[in-house]
Amino acid sequence: MEKFKVVVWCESCQDDEEGCFGGSAEVIGEAFESWEAAAKAGAQYCGELPYRYRIEQDDPD
C-alpha cells in the first residue's frame, strides 16, 4: 500500500544554514495513508507560516 510524506521548506531561508530547517527541507510527521491526509497535514502545519510543502511518495527503505 502506498504511503505519503510531507516535505516542508522555507523559500526565504533556502541555502542559509542558520535559517529555517537549516536552509534545507524537513519531513514532518510520519508516513500518511493517503495523499489527501498528507496534504491536510501539510496545509495545517504550514498555516500562516512562510513555509511551502510538497507531497511525496514515501520510500519504505
Side-chain angles (χ1 to χ4, degrees):
M1 176 172 224
E2 285 184 324
K3 293 197 176 197
F4 300 88
K5 62 184 175 182
V6 180
V7 180
V8 178
W9 71 95
C10 177
E11 286 192 353
S12 298
C13 296
Q14 282 185 318
D15 301 322
D16 180 353
E17 291 181 11
E18 294 184 20
C20 303
F21 311 112
S24 188
E26 185 171 291
V27 174
I28 62 164
E30 309 249 339
F32 295 90
E33 297 293 325
S34 69
W35 188 94
E36 292 80 8
K40 182 177 179 182
Q44 210 169 26
Y45 182 85
C46 292
E48 300 294 320
L49 299 171
Y51 303 153
R52 298 213 178 229
Y53 70 94
R54 69 178 175 267
I55 311 301
E56 295 182 356
Q57 193 170 4
D58 191 40
D59 184 9
D61 294 334

